[in-house]
Amino acid sequence: MTAITADHLLTRVRGLLAAHPPADTDRADFLRARFDAGLAWVHYPEGLGGLGAPRSLQAVVDAELAAAGAPDNDPRRIGIGLGMAAPTILAYGTDEQKQRFLRPLWIGEEVWCQLFSEPGAGSDLAALGTRAVRETGSGDWIVDGQKVWTSSAHTARWAILIARTDPGLPKHQGITYFLCDMHAPGVEVRPLRQITGEAEFNEVFLTGVRIPDSHRLGAVGEGWAVARTTLMNERVSIGGMRIPREGGMIAPVAAAWRERPELRTHALHQRLLELWVEAEVARLTGERLRQQLAVGQPGPEGSGMKLTFARLNQEISGLEVELLAEEGLLYDDWTMRRPDGVDFTGREAGYRYLRAKGNSIEGGTSEILLNIVAERVLGLPPEPRDDKDLAWKDLNR
Amino acid sequence: MTTPAAPTDLLYSGTEEELRSAVRALLTDRCDAKSVLDRAGTDRPHDPALWHTLAVEIGAAGLLVPEKLGGQGASHREAAVVLEELGRAVAPVPYLTSAVLATEILLGCDTAEAATLLRELASGRTVCVPAVPLTLAPGAPLPAPVRDLGSGSLTGTVTSVADAVAADVLLVLADTGLYAVPAAAAGLTPRVPLDLTRPLATVTLEAAAGTRLADAGTARAAVAGALLSGAGLLASEQLGLAEWCLTETVRHVRGRHQFNRPVGSFQALKHRLARLWLDVASARAAARAAADALATEAPDAPLTVAVAQAYCSGVAVRAAEECVQLHGGIGMTWEHPAHLYLKRAKADSLALGTAGHHRGLVADFAELPAP
């Protein structure tokens, strides 16, 4: 087989554009044609939206299509499907599962969500207690439990789900991975109103939910290994992008400082300068990481960037509320609403302050990430633990 | 506010890594912790033989000097790499003072006399040290404690002059210009320094004769420029120092057992070291940015240098303090080198402007004025 080159892909892209001119083509039709041309994710196999090309060539395709004004599939809205469900289905799915799920997922006809975290299993995800019991006769699985912090659950058609199928085994071994129909009877989605007043996330209650065995992903009891594939593909949004000097959360604070001299105090000045310097150094650290990746020398800095940004966002947004003096006592709007996407920097200072509190919790708490840096980067030994070999049912909960 | 014009190159080139290897190999052989410690206890802390190899054989003394003046024609990026390694070894050599500060002052003079001195300095034969206090900061008013009493008869006293005891020639900033004064013609009173590896002296001039290198205006501009470069490159020394502290501390807590487990397995310590690693990784980006901005004469170099100093000073001190604390009792002893790093880090945090001074500069450059 000859290697697929950028030129080869560009020829294909032009063929697609010629056959389906974006200006005259329905958005969904164009996206379907793009998938069928193997230009959805070029590193996927032929017939599944790809051509088996090097992953790095995707950028060539995306740039050419964007330049031609082609519609995109709004990765923000369907990010969990693209970033987490798809690579896992590709790695572990049966041929039928790949054929059934990948195309509507990529086009955005079917939105996905992720049913992993539970009220009792956050950082210690493998301790999860949602049960899946196999029904004798039908072979279907009956699922009962509660999930939490589920983005997009209210719009999702499908979910990736991990559930406990053998409580007698140690916690990492008795887990099985399923594809769950969010329209199935027994699935109840409730908005989870959070500290800011809005609801970005949901709680999902599963009561006697029936999942056919054909919607199991990977072998029974092998769900943890499958979940690790999902989690490794969880996209890290920080590090790849180039941030301008004074970008991010420091921008509105610096602007307020310049525009409103009456707010300035010496104590706030010192804190502002310290944080301005730290934000600039964080920008440079991210830029250095980006340069390392570009020359194929990925450094371990990536594992630390989220820690840095979480701390900085919290300190800067806290300073901003104080800087605003009397206005800092006010909040823009407590109305319960459901934002389309996650907006970390939107709205006003009070919102930013409250929303930033999530930055050190979501996607791995800062404490867990510090452990990861200490163990994987610095090579420090793990804390002794006794939960690895104990049956899940015998764990303290 | 200034915006970075071109993307800063924050990586190390192949040439820079080769230079690092050469310097590190030399320091591993000839500047181990024990020999630095032994020297620090004497009144001759400098290692002239080590300096000779570094300056002459590796050619590090002339990195910033153009080839036509007998130097290497390299840039601040390479000098920064040398300083990282010297910081890692708390090496007792007059590199920052002679190969960076004095060199930059002479480069700013543009006279035949200065060029002659630069040639000697670049060859490694002459150590030349600016007679200014080590605490003098870029952006601060330049003091003029030395007066020219007529026809180059220099009189005055300068305190806290680093590496003066190792100098052949002192660069003296007088009210009428810049002068090269043979160290033998000056009165040197060594002081007891906090940092044993970078000795301090009071320089007293009593009608000392010097060679005039530049007029007053040129001299002041040259010194100001040198202070900016020095502050920017000091960040790399601080980075190297912090990195040694982190590496040695991680090594120690992995091997040291208490309560029947390595102390490095305790989460309280792991988190402290992970945070320190983050700080060091960030300090590397800040120090590289400063070196690159100086090398490319970027318009925002003064801001980038101020950011690097405001950040790296604190990281070096924190790394050294954590090193002492996490080594437990041994960290408080004279026999363990941790104290040398703590002393250097703390002295470095005063050298060429404190973090607070540099934050003040950031306020100016970034247009974030004080109330």
Side-chain angles (χ1 to χ4, degrees):
Chain A
M1 197 183 85
T2 53
I4 293 173
T5 64
D7 284 345
H8 176 97
L9 289 174
L10 286 176
T11 307
R12 273 198 170 239
V13 169
R14 285 174 200 132
L16 171 71
L17 289 166
H20 306 272
D24 311 324
T25 310
D26 174 69
R27 179 176 181 276
D29 287 343
F30 184 89
L31 291 173
R32 279 186 207 102
R34 178 177 167 185
F35 186 94
D36 295 339
L39 297 169
W41 37 52
V42 297
H43 54 290
Y44 274 38
E46 276 191 66
L48 297 174
L51 296 165
R55 180 192 281 257
S56 55
L57 292 180
Q58 184 68 45
V60 176
V61 171
D62 291 345
E64 186 73 8
L65 286 169
D72 73 22
N73 60 345
D74 192 2
R76 195 170 74 154
R77 194 171 62 90
I78 60 172
I80 291 169
L82 287 176
M84 304 177 80
T88 316
I89 291 170
L90 184 71
Y92 283 94
T94 61
D95 288 343
E96 290 75 17
Q97 287 169 341
K98 292 178 200 172
Q99 292 292 344
R100 162 66 187 83
F101 291 113
L102 290 178
R103 192 169 182 264
L105 180 160
W106 187 85
I107 290 163
E109 290 171 330
E110 290 179 349
V111 173
W112 284 70
C113 66
Q114 183 220 53
L115 297 175
F116 281 18
S117 293
E118 299 184 3
S123 294
D124 187 9
L125 177 60
L128 62 89
T130 290
R131 291 290 308 275
V133 177
R134 195 155 194 186
E135 192 179 64
T136 35
S138 72
D140 291 349
W141 297 85
I142 310 298
V143 181
D144 289 277
Q146 182 191 345
K147 298 287 180 174
V148 75
W149 296 116
T150 316
S151 316
S152 307
H154 54 298
T155 52
R157 180 68 181 78
W158 292 95
I160 45 180
L161 163 75
I162 45 179
R164 186 154 307 282
T165 45
D166 190 344
L169 290 175
K171 64 181 180 181
H172 292 93
Q173 293 169 33
I175 293 172
T176 303
Y177 198 116
F178 298 98
L179 307 177
C180 175
D181 182 350
M182 291 297 285
H183 292 179
V187 177
E188 188 198 348
V189 177
R190 296 184 203 160
L192 180 60
R193 198 169 182 209
Q194 67 216 54
I195 192 168
T196 55
E198 65 186 4
E200 291 167 46
F201 306 97
N202 303 279
E203 295 179 292
V204 178
F205 295 82
L206 304 161
T207 312
V209 176
R210 179 175 293 271
I211 298 181
D213 193 53
S214 60
H215 288 175
R216 170 167 51 80
L217 198 64
V220 175
E222 299 292 321
W224 186 248
V226 186
R228 283 179 63 92
T229 299
T230 307
L231 295 171
M232 277 190 297
N233 279 288
E234 188 168 11
R235 283 187 298 177
V236 181
S237 55
I238 300 162
M241 262 187 341
R242 177 173 266 159
I243 311 169
R245 175 174 289 158
E246 211 180 85
M249 284 225 187
I250 197 75
V253 196
W257 185 270
R258 291 188 192 110
E259 288 155 20
R260 302 180 58 184
E262 77 279 7
L263 297 177
R264 297 172 190 163
T265 71
H266 286 286
L268 290 171
H269 192 224
Q270 287 309 310
R271 283 169 59 198
L272 173 64
L273 292 174
E274 280 181 33
L275 291 171
W276 196 95
V277 166
E278 287 184 36
E280 171 68 359
V281 173
R283 178 185 77 82
L284 291 167
T285 310
E287 173 65 17
R288 186 172 142 77
L289 176 66
R290 206 188 59 74
Q291 292 180 8
Q292 285 176 297
L293 292 171
V295 297
Q297 307 165 349
E301 284 86 348
S303 19
M305 292 307 290
K306 179 178 177 290
L307 281 162
T308 299
F309 280 109
R311 184 182 58 79
L312 272 178
N313 284 349
Q314 293 174 354
E315 290 187 22
I316 293 169
S317 59
L319 173 71
E320 189 183 8
V321 171
E322 277 182 67
L323 173 65
L324 293 177
E326 263 184 70
E327 282 169 51
L329 296 171
L330 306 175
Y331 192 72
D332 60 354
D333 186 1
W334 289 115
T335 310
M336 156 73 179
R337 53 175 115 176
R338 302 202 51 120
D340 285 340
V342 186
D343 187 359
F344 294 107
T345 56
R347 293 172 55 175
E348 291 186 3
Y351 172 85
R352 281 194 280 279
Y353 172 69
L354 295 173
R355 182 60 186 82
K357 292 295 163 231
N359 293 170
S360 54
I361 301 170
E362 60 205 342
T365 61
S366 290
E367 288 69 24
I368 292 289
L369 294 179
L370 285 168
N371 282 346
I372 289 173
V373 167
E375 290 171 21
R376 299 199 193 149
V377 177
L378 297 178
L380 292 172
E383 296 232 16
R385 50 191 289 190
D386 60 5
D387 61 332
K388 279 190 172 169
D389 301 320
L390 212 57
W392 176 84
K393 64 181 173 54
D394 298 327
L395 293 174
N396 290 319
R397 275 191 302 283
Chain B
M1 191 186 60
T2 46
T3 311
T8 317
D9 178 3
L10 299 169
L11 305 181
Y12 298 101
S13 70
T15 317
E16 286 161 15
E17 290 294 3
E18 282 168 27
L19 177 62
R20 179 199 302 286
S21 298
V23 175
R24 190 180 292 191
L26 169 68
L27 295 171
T28 306
D29 279 357
R30 305 254 300 273
C31 189
D32 59 300
K34 181 164 186 323
S35 61
V36 179
L37 261 173
D38 289 348
R39 234 166 236 297
T42 71
D43 56 0
R44 304 295 299 171
H46 287 113
D47 184 342
L50 174 67
W51 173 253
H52 180 82
T53 309
L54 180 72
V56 180
E57 291 169 29
I58 294 183
L63 280 176
L64 294 175
V65 179
E67 287 178 43
K68 66 176 172 18
L69 291 175
Q72 310 295 318
S75 78
H76 300 79
R77 293 177 54 91
E78 288 81 7
V81 169
V82 172
L83 277 166
E84 276 183 36
E85 294 306 311
L86 295 176
R88 198 193 302 272
V90 282
V93 289
Y95 190 85
L96 181 70
T97 44
S98 186
V100 177
L101 289 169
T103 302
E104 290 278 32
I105 292 174
L106 292 171
L107 284 168
C109 286
D110 198 27
T111 56
E113 292 80 4
T116 305
L117 194 47
L118 264 177
R119 276 186 187 280
E120 288 180 31
L121 195 153
S123 75
R125 290 192 301 270
T126 298
V127 171
C128 191
V129 160
V132 296
L134 183 59
T135 48
L136 189 58
L142 291 180
V146 177
R147 293 182 55 215
D148 181 359
L149 300 178
S151 60
S153 177
L154 306 170
T155 299
T157 302
V158 190
T159 51
S160 305
V161 178
D163 294 333
V165 293
D168 303 301
V169 177
L170 297 167
L171 297 184
V172 176
L173 181 65
D175 51 356
T176 53
L178 186 77
Y179 293 84
V181 176
L188 295 186
T189 312
R191 304 296 306 274
V192 179
L194 175 67
D195 173 9
L196 295 155
T197 60
R198 185 172 278 148
L200 301 174
T202 300
V203 172
T204 309
L205 302 170
E206 291 173 1
T211 308
R212 187 174 150 110
L213 301 173
D215 62 44
T218 307
R220 297 177 84 77
V223 171
L227 292 172
L228 179 68
S229 293
L233 294 185
L234 179 62
S236 288
E237 176 177 305
Q238 289 163 326
L239 164 66
L241 188 157
E243 195 162 51
W244 183 91
C245 292
L246 173 64
T247 307
E248 279 305 304
T249 308
V250 167
R251 190 213 306 273
H252 176 76
V253 300
R254 284 170 69 174
R256 168 81 171 165
H257 282 67
Q258 298 277 269
F259 307 102
N260 197 35
R261 49 193 271 211
V263 295
S265 67
F266 286 96
Q267 197 171 59
L269 270 56
K270 289 163 76 172
H271 284 192
R272 282 169 73 160
L273 287 165
R275 285 199 190 92
L276 188 57
W277 172 81
L278 266 176
D279 292 347
V280 173
S282 303
R284 181 179 305 284
R288 276 276 93 187
D292 191 71
L294 291 167
T296 58
E297 297 177 20
D300 63 343
L303 170 60
T304 308
V305 166
V307 164
Q309 264 309 303
Y311 189 78
C312 296
S313 278
V315 172
V317 171
R318 198 152 57 246
E321 289 178 348
E322 289 289 75
C323 181
V324 169
Q325 173 65 24
L326 299 186
H327 272 81
I330 186 85
M332 276 302 286
T333 64
W334 191 271
E335 67 185 281
H336 192 280
H339 66 96
L340 295 177
Y341 288 83
L342 179 65
K343 292 162 186 171
R344 170 73 72 89
K346 196 64 184 175
D348 274 359
S349 75
L350 277 66
L352 296 161
T354 61
H357 173 82
H358 286 282
R359 279 195 292 274
L361 295 177
V362 168
D364 297 340
F365 298 130
E367 293 161 25
L368 298 166

mmCIF file of all heavy atoms in Angstrom, chain A residues 3-26:
data_model
loop_
_atom_site.group_PDB
_atom_site.id
_atom_site.type_symbol
_atom_site.label_atom_id
_atom_site.label_comp_id
_atom_site.label_asym_id
_atom_site.label_seq_id
_atom_site.Cartn_x
_atom_site.Cartn_y
_atom_site.Cartn_z
ATOM 1 N N ALA A 3 1.808 5.090 0.718
ATOM 2 C CA ALA A 3 1.440 6.023 1.784
ATOM 3 C C ALA A 3 0.586 7.157 1.215
ATOM 4 O O ALA A 3 0.812 7.610 0.097
ATOM 5 C CB ALA A 3 2.705 6.589 2.412
ATOM 6 N N ILE A 4 -0.400 7.576 1.998
ATOM 7 C CA ILE A 4 -1.273 8.670 1.562
ATOM 8 C C ILE A 4 -0.604 9.998 1.900
ATOM 9 O O ILE A 4 -0.150 10.207 3.020
ATOM 10 C CB ILE A 4 -2.646 8.556 2.243
ATOM 11 C CG1 ILE A 4 -3.337 7.303 1.717
ATOM 12 C CG2 ILE A 4 -3.482 9.792 1.986
ATOM 13 C CD1 ILE A 4 -4.616 6.969 2.418
ATOM 14 N N THR A 5 -0.527 10.855 0.904
ATOM 15 C CA THR A 5 0.165 12.140 1.084
ATOM 16 C C THR A 5 -0.846 13.269 1.190
ATOM 17 O O THR A 5 -2.039 13.094 0.937
ATOM 18 C CB THR A 5 1.067 12.428 -0.117
ATOM 19 O OG1 THR A 5 0.225 12.559 -1.268
ATOM 20 C CG2 THR A 5 2.072 11.316 -0.339
ATOM 21 N N ALA A 6 -0.320 14.438 1.548
ATOM 22 C CA ALA A 6 -1.163 15.627 1.635
ATOM 23 C C ALA A 6 -1.773 15.939 0.269
ATOM 24 O O ALA A 6 -2.950 16.298 0.166
ATOM 25 C CB ALA A 6 -0.337 16.807 2.133
ATOM 26 N N ASP A 7 -0.982 15.759 -0.804
ATOM 27 C CA ASP A 7 -1.495 16.041 -2.147
ATOM 28 C C ASP A 7 -2.674 15.141 -2.485
ATOM 29 O O ASP A 7 -3.676 15.583 -3.039
ATOM 30 C CB ASP A 7 -0.374 15.846 -3.186
ATOM 31 C CG ASP A 7 0.604 17.009 -3.159
ATOM 32 O OD1 ASP A 7 0.240 18.038 -2.564
ATOM 33 O OD2 ASP A 7 1.711 16.857 -3.699
ATOM 34 N N HIS A 8 -2.526 13.866 -2.129
ATOM 35 C CA HIS A 8 -3.599 12.907 -2.373
ATOM 36 C C HIS A 8 -4.887 13.364 -1.679
ATOM 37 O O HIS A 8 -5.975 13.353 -2.261
ATOM 38 C CB HIS A 8 -3.143 11.545 -1.833
ATOM 39 C CG HIS A 8 -4.182 10.478 -1.925
ATOM 40 N ND1 HIS A 8 -4.233 9.571 -2.954
ATOM 41 C CD2 HIS A 8 -5.237 10.196 -1.119
ATOM 42 C CE1 HIS A 8 -5.267 8.762 -2.767
ATOM 43 N NE2 HIS A 8 -5.888 9.112 -1.661
ATOM 44 N N LEU A 9 -4.734 13.808 -0.435
ATOM 45 C CA LEU A 9 -5.909 14.240 0.324
ATOM 46 C C LEU A 9 -6.511 15.506 -0.273
ATOM 47 O O LEU A 9 -7.735 15.646 -0.352
ATOM 48 C CB LEU A 9 -5.544 14.465 1.783
ATOM 49 C CG LEU A 9 -5.254 13.190 2.580
ATOM 50 C CD1 LEU A 9 -4.767 13.531 3.973
ATOM 51 C CD2 LEU A 9 -6.496 12.319 2.660
ATOM 52 N N LEU A 10 -5.639 16.416 -0.694
ATOM 53 C CA LEU A 10 -6.144 17.673 -1.262
ATOM 54 C C LEU A 10 -6.934 17.395 -2.541
ATOM 55 O O LEU A 10 -7.963 18.022 -2.799
ATOM 56 C CB LEU A 10 -4.988 18.634 -1.528
ATOM 57 C CG LEU A 10 -4.400 19.272 -0.255
ATOM 58 C CD1 LEU A 10 -3.197 20.132 -0.580
ATOM 59 C CD2 LEU A 10 -5.457 20.100 0.476
ATOM 60 N N THR A 11 -6.474 16.435 -3.343
ATOM 61 C CA THR A 11 -7.211 16.057 -4.544
ATOM 62 C C THR A 11 -8.604 15.553 -4.159
ATOM 63 O O THR A 11 -9.611 15.912 -4.766
ATOM 64 C CB THR A 11 -6.438 14.949 -5.291
ATOM 65 O OG1 THR A 11 -5.112 15.401 -5.484
ATOM 66 C CG2 THR A 11 -7.083 14.652 -6.623
ATOM 67 N N ARG A 12 -8.644 14.735 -3.126
ATOM 68 C CA ARG A 12 -9.929 14.203 -2.661
ATOM 69 C C ARG A 12 -10.848 15.317 -2.160
ATOM 70 O O ARG A 12 -12.045 15.307 -2.411
ATOM 71 C CB ARG A 12 -9.714 13.225 -1.509
ATOM 72 C CG ARG A 12 -9.463 11.835 -1.983
ATOM 73 C CD ARG A 12 -9.705 10.843 -0.852
ATOM 74 N NE ARG A 12 -9.679 9.510 -1.415
ATOM 75 C CZ ARG A 12 -10.690 8.654 -1.357
ATOM 76 N NH1 ARG A 12 -11.803 8.979 -0.733
ATOM 77 N NH2 ARG A 12 -10.601 7.469 -1.898
ATOM 78 N N VAL A 13 -10.234 16.246 -1.402
ATOM 79 C CA VAL A 13 -11.031 17.355 -0.857
ATOM 80 C C VAL A 13 -11.639 18.152 -2.009
ATOM 81 O O VAL A 13 -12.835 18.491 -1.992
ATOM 82 C CB VAL A 13 -10.164 18.270 0.029
ATOM 83 C CG1 VAL A 13 -10.912 19.560 0.372
ATOM 84 C CG2 VAL A 13 -9.763 17.549 1.308
ATOM 85 N N ARG A 14 -10.837 18.409 -3.049
ATOM 86 C CA ARG A 14 -11.353 19.196 -4.183
ATOM 87 C C ARG A 14 -12.448 18.428 -4.915
ATOM 88 O O ARG A 14 -13.434 19.011 -5.361
ATOM 89 C CB ARG A 14 -10.201 19.576 -5.120
ATOM 90 C CG ARG A 14 -9.378 20.693 -4.493
ATOM 91 C CD ARG A 14 -8.130 21.063 -5.254
ATOM 92 N NE ARG A 14 -7.220 21.753 -4.349
ATOM 93 C CZ ARG A 14 -5.926 21.489 -4.210
ATOM 94 N NH1 ARG A 14 -5.359 20.532 -4.944
ATOM 95 N NH2 ARG A 14 -5.192 22.165 -3.351
ATOM 96 N N GLY A 15 -12.291 17.113 -4.978
ATOM 97 C CA GLY A 15 -13.343 16.288 -5.577
ATOM 98 C C GLY A 15 -14.642 16.392 -4.798
ATOM 99 O O GLY A 15 -15.733 16.542 -5.369
ATOM 100 N N LEU A 16 -14.521 16.338 -3.488
ATOM 101 C CA LEU A 16 -15.701 16.454 -2.623
ATOM 102 C C LEU A 16 -16.364 17.807 -2.821
ATOM 103 O O LEU A 16 -17.597 17.902 -2.963
ATOM 104 C CB LEU A 16 -15.274 16.282 -1.158
ATOM 105 C CG LEU A 16 -16.326 16.578 -0.085
ATOM 106 C CD1 LEU A 16 -17.407 15.515 -0.068
ATOM 107 C CD2 LEU A 16 -15.684 16.682 1.296
ATOM 108 N N LEU A 17 -15.546 18.860 -2.846
ATOM 109 C CA LEU A 17 -16.086 20.211 -2.983
ATOM 110 C C LEU A 17 -16.756 20.396 -4.354
ATOM 111 O O LEU A 17 -17.767 21.088 -4.468
ATOM 112 C CB LEU A 17 -14.972 21.248 -2.796
ATOM 113 C CG LEU A 17 -14.451 21.389 -1.359
ATOM 114 C CD1 LEU A 17 -13.151 22.177 -1.342
ATOM 115 C CD2 LEU A 17 -15.491 22.047 -0.467
ATOM 116 N N ALA A 18 -16.187 19.754 -5.383
ATOM 117 C CA ALA A 18 -16.755 19.879 -6.720
ATOM 118 C C ALA A 18 -18.107 19.161 -6.792
ATOM 119 O O ALA A 18 -19.073 19.678 -7.359
ATOM 120 C CB ALA A 18 -15.780 19.315 -7.740
ATOM 121 N N ALA A 19 -18.162 17.964 -6.186
ATOM 122 C CA ALA A 19 -19.402 17.186 -6.239
ATOM 123 C C ALA A 19 -20.481 17.762 -5.326
ATOM 124 O O ALA A 19 -21.676 17.591 -5.570
ATOM 125 C CB ALA A 19 -19.101 15.731 -5.867
ATOM 126 N N HIS A 20 -20.069 18.434 -4.254
ATOM 127 C CA HIS A 20 -21.034 18.967 -3.279
ATOM 128 C C HIS A 20 -20.637 20.400 -2.941
ATOM 129 O O HIS A 20 -20.117 20.652 -1.845
ATOM 130 C CB HIS A 20 -21.042 18.115 -2.002
ATOM 131 C CG HIS A 20 -21.268 16.663 -2.248
ATOM 132 N ND1 HIS A 20 -22.530 16.098 -2.311
ATOM 133 C CD2 HIS A 20 -20.398 15.645 -2.478
ATOM 134 C CE1 HIS A 20 -22.430 14.797 -2.564
ATOM 135 N NE2 HIS A 20 -21.134 14.497 -2.661
ATOM 136 N N PRO A 21 -20.869 21.339 -3.839
ATOM 137 C CA PRO A 21 -20.472 22.726 -3.548
ATOM 138 C C PRO A 21 -21.133 23.202 -2.260
ATOM 139 O O PRO A 21 -22.370 23.128 -2.149
ATOM 140 C CB PRO A 21 -20.994 23.509 -4.770
ATOM 141 C CG PRO A 21 -21.262 22.484 -5.818
ATOM 142 C CD PRO A 21 -21.584 21.216 -5.118
ATOM 143 N N PRO A 22 -20.346 23.646 -1.283
ATOM 144 C CA PRO A 22 -20.913 23.990 0.039
ATOM 145 C C PRO A 22 -22.056 24.995 -0.063
ATOM 146 O O PRO A 22 -23.019 24.908 0.697
ATOM 147 C CB PRO A 22 -19.713 24.593 0.779
ATOM 148 C CG PRO A 22 -18.523 23.983 0.130
ATOM 149 C CD PRO A 22 -18.891 23.773 -1.305
ATOM 150 N N ALA A 23 -21.973 25.915 -1.007
ATOM 151 C CA ALA A 23 -23.001 26.953 -1.099
ATOM 152 C C ALA A 23 -24.362 26.370 -1.483
ATOM 153 O O ALA A 23 -25.400 26.907 -1.089
ATOM 154 C CB ALA A 23 -22.564 28.005 -2.112
ATOM 155 N N ASP A 24 -24.343 25.283 -2.251
ATOM 156 C CA ASP A 24 -25.618 24.746 -2.749
ATOM 157 C C ASP A 24 -26.010 23.439 -2.070
ATOM 158 O O ASP A 24 -26.940 22.763 -2.519
ATOM 159 C CB ASP A 24 -25.516 24.463 -4.276
ATOM 160 C CG ASP A 24 -24.934 25.641 -5.024
ATOM 161 O OD1 ASP A 24 -25.231 26.778 -4.622
ATOM 162 O OD2 ASP A 24 -24.152 25.406 -5.977
ATOM 163 N N THR A 25 -25.265 23.052 -1.062
ATOM 164 C CA THR A 25 -25.515 21.730 -0.470
ATOM 165 C C THR A 25 -26.041 21.885 0.950
ATOM 166 O O THR A 25 -25.540 22.717 1.709
ATOM 167 C CB THR A 25 -24.215 20.894 -0.457
ATOM 168 O OG1 THR A 25 -23.640 20.925 -1.753
ATOM 169 C CG2 THR A 25 -24.484 19.456 -0.053
ATOM 170 N N ASP A 26 -27.027 21.111 1.284
ATOM 171 C CA ASP A 26 -27.545 21.053 2.652
ATOM 172 C C ASP A 26 -26.414 20.632 3.603
ATOM 173 O O ASP A 26 -25.578 19.793 3.256
ATOM 174 C CB ASP A 26 -28.682 20.027 2.691
ATOM 175 C CG ASP A 26 -29.179 19.807 4.106
ATOM 176 O OD1 ASP A 26 -29.787 20.731 4.662
ATOM 177 O OD2 ASP A 26 -28.906 18.709 4.655
#
